[in-house]
Amino acid sequence: MLTAPLSRDLGVLFITSEVYPLIKTGGLGDVSAALPAALQELGVDVRLLIPGYPKVLAGLRYKRKVAGFSGLSHFPPFLLWSARLPAGKGASKGVPIFVIDCPSLYRRNGGPYTNTAGQDWPDNAMRFGLLSKIGAILASDASPLIWRPNIVHCNDWQSGLTPAYLHFYQGRKVVSLMSIHNLVFQGVFPPSTLSRLDLPATSFNINGIEYYGDMSFLKAGLYYSDHIITVSPTYAKEIQTMPLGFGLQGLLAGRSDHISGIVNGIDSTKWDPETDPCLAQNYTVKRIAAKAINKRALQQMMGLVVDSDIPLFGMVSRHTYQKGCDLLLQVAPFLARMPAQLVILGSGEAGLDREMAALEKNHPGKIAVRIGFDETLSHLIEGGVDSFLMPSRFEPCGLNQMYSQRYGTPPLVHATGGLLDTVVDCTPATLADGSASGFLFHEMDPRSFLAGIQRVIASYCNKTTWLRLQRNGMAKDFSWRLSAIAYRDIYLSLLPGLYK
Ligand code: ADP
């Protein structure tokens, strides 16, 4: 059995292409901030490695030069800085960070992956090839630093070549771990890129970096890493099959013994009904009746009929096929005929935005729709509705179903990915054992979704059942601490192979 004191001996190099608050384009930026901070709280010596984009260089604290490199294969010269991330709320010190300051690759206006017009940077292979290469150097006996990790944790395609570089390195090297946050982006480049990246021609092989005639950074990471992690146990299984493997299902199924799923945590300071400034009324599990004030405020604000007894459903999401918006559109007219109301907040594909907006026109007073991104309203919806809808076709982890449970708003979700792993379906057995916290529907069709909605309404009408569901959900721990413990245990389980 692995125990906590071992954390002290763990050194983890966490390679990422974005980290909040310095630079963020999506979920990876949040995870790269929250997970290392939670690992640090457990005593793990975790340090980040990131490219020196202008925003990163401008936001560092205690910056000092630790190494300089010139003539590293085809890469331009660069410096390596050591610094600290800004400390989060309540954290004593920020997580240490190494920054690759290579002006010709990273110091430019635009995003981390694209220019100001939204086009991929043409030299992305070199930009993230360098990130991967330095990751491999710092994770081996070629490192110029005194500090040595015993695990290198790569994230998404941008650091996918690190395990490949380590594989072909002859000296001492540490265990590598590849995290998948988004399998859709695979870092695919023409085969001619390989020689500029200082990788041997032999790696261009189906058992290696080759991917349908091109090369793929992500495939390299998945093939050469010692272990693979994704953001929920169910999604870890789903990506080993069509269609959710996005072309990598064969490789992933072949490595199934080396794949784990760990559910992300949530920011439990920002998403707390007791202190949330976006709510009309704060509440706790002991004062759950006060939640009704948020329902009234939301109904008034959205132009719905104000009625404390009618079950009010909510949905906040990107309007895409992944999120099951098409299913919601099919079911909404039936929901409008029931004793129920619906609030929708989201934006995305123009056609879906239009069809969602039309729901309000066709069902005034019963369905209200806001097209756009509105952080404040999303909090009021979590606090104000009775049940939250997530009919996602697939969902690697998902966040809103966790927010909902924390807000005493039992969610109805499609039984997929992280939704299946974090919501316990309401049945007589789960009500009896105190685990029921929401509702699952199993088939991605209107009949199954509608049956789920009817189950929610029936349970809502039983005040004892509903209160139990709310209390169970609010008592659950979705903190990053639990995720960090699971990551730490995987790191430790890999350590018998410390120096391969
Ligand atoms: P994904 O990352 O696939 O979009 P997640 O559930 O993991 O889905 O996270 C999405 C986050 O973005 C949630 O916190 C959700 O509330 C928020 N969000 C999505 N659309 C909107 C919107 N229109 N307004 C406010 N917040 C939104």
Side-chain angles (χ1 to χ4, degrees), residues 54-351:
K55 281 183 184 162
V56 167
L57 293 170
L60 297 174
R61 296 156 67 237
Y62 314 120
K63 192 172 84 168
R64 65 187 174 86
K65 184 180 133 184
V66 288
F69 291 79
S70 59
L72 186 67
S73 182
H74 296 280
F75 297 109
F78 61 93
L79 297 177
L80 192 66
W81 299 95
S82 155
R84 280 192 187 266
L85 281 173
K89 265 190 220 152
S92 51
K93 51 187 179 167
V95 171
I97 180 166
F98 296 113
V99 177
I100 307 166
D101 187 6
C102 182
S104 62
L105 290 182
Y106 305 133
R107 283 208 210 172
R108 47 180 85 162
N109 293 328
Y113 319 119
T114 56
N115 62 20
T116 43
Q119 293 148 337
D120 284 353
W121 293 113
D123 55 353
N124 268 348
M126 294 308 280
R127 298 172 77 240
F128 297 108
L130 181 63
L131 175 68
S132 299
K133 178 82 182 170
I134 303 309
I137 289 175
L138 299 189
S140 72
D141 63 4
S143 173
L145 307 182
I146 298 166
W147 181 76
R148 296 286 165 87
N150 36 35
I151 297 274
V152 59
H153 186 160
C154 310
N155 290 277
D156 280 350
W157 73 266
Q158 294 87 353
S159 46
L161 289 189
T162 295
Y165 285 123
L166 286 173
H167 175 83
F168 292 104
Y169 179 67
Q170 297 301 316
R172 296 205 308 170
K173 52 209 168 181
V174 308
V175 172
S176 63
L177 196 147
M178 186 77 225
S179 263
I180 309 168
H181 304 273
N182 196 336
L183 197 59
V184 175
F185 301 113
Q186 304 184 341
V188 175
F189 299 94
S192 56
T193 321
L194 203 66
S195 56
R196 285 190 294 130
L197 287 169
D198 196 23
L199 280 161
T202 50
S203 65
F204 192 72
N205 191 289
I206 186 162
N207 294 315
I209 288 171
E210 189 269 344
Y211 183 66
Y212 297 102
D214 283 317
M215 66 163 291
S216 159
F217 276 47
L218 183 65
K219 187 193 164 196
L222 298 176
Y223 184 80
Y224 290 111
S225 60
D226 294 289
H227 198 80
I228 297 167
I229 295 197
T230 189
V231 288
S232 68
T234 297
Y235 189 62
K237 290 194 203 105
E238 290 171 341
I239 57 175
Q240 297 176 37
T241 59
M242 287 266 276
L244 296 187
F246 291 102
L248 290 164
Q249 61 276 1
L251 164 60
L252 290 165
R255 298 214 60 199
S256 59
D257 290 347
H258 300 278
I259 304 180
S260 312
I262 299 178
V263 173
N264 286 334
I266 62 170
D267 182 340
S268 32
T269 50
K270 192 169 138 203
W271 289 93
D272 181 355
E274 189 171 2
T275 53
D276 191 337
C278 306
L279 297 184
Q281 175 65 54
N282 292 117
Y283 56 95
T284 61
V285 69
K286 289 201 181 109
R287 290 187 56 249
I288 210 164
K291 186 178 189 297
I293 298 171
N294 295 301
K295 180 171 180 177
R296 166 176 275 272
L298 185 64
Q299 285 171 326
Q300 278 171 339
M301 180 178 168
M302 300 297 289
L304 293 168
V305 174
V306 175
D307 179 343
S308 60
D309 292 330
I310 194 165
L312 173 56
F313 290 88
M315 177 159 162
V316 180
S317 80
R318 293 184 286 116
H319 287 168
T320 62
Y321 182 72
Q322 182 206 331
K323 298 291 177 184
C325 293
D326 51 321
L327 199 60
L328 185 94
L329 285 163
Q330 291 177 66
V331 157
F334 295 95
L335 185 146
R337 276 184 233 142
M338 298 177 185
Q341 294 177 339
L342 173 63
V343 175
I344 295 169
L345 167 64
S347 64
E349 291 162 22

Side-chain angles (χ1 to χ4, degrees), residues 316-318 323 345-347 372-375 378 395 398-400 403:
V316 180
S317 80
R318 293 184 286 116
K323 298 291 177 184
L345 167 64
S347 64
F373 193 96
D374 187 335
E375 180 87 25
S378 75
E395 196 62 84
L399 290 171
N400 273 310
Y403 302 153

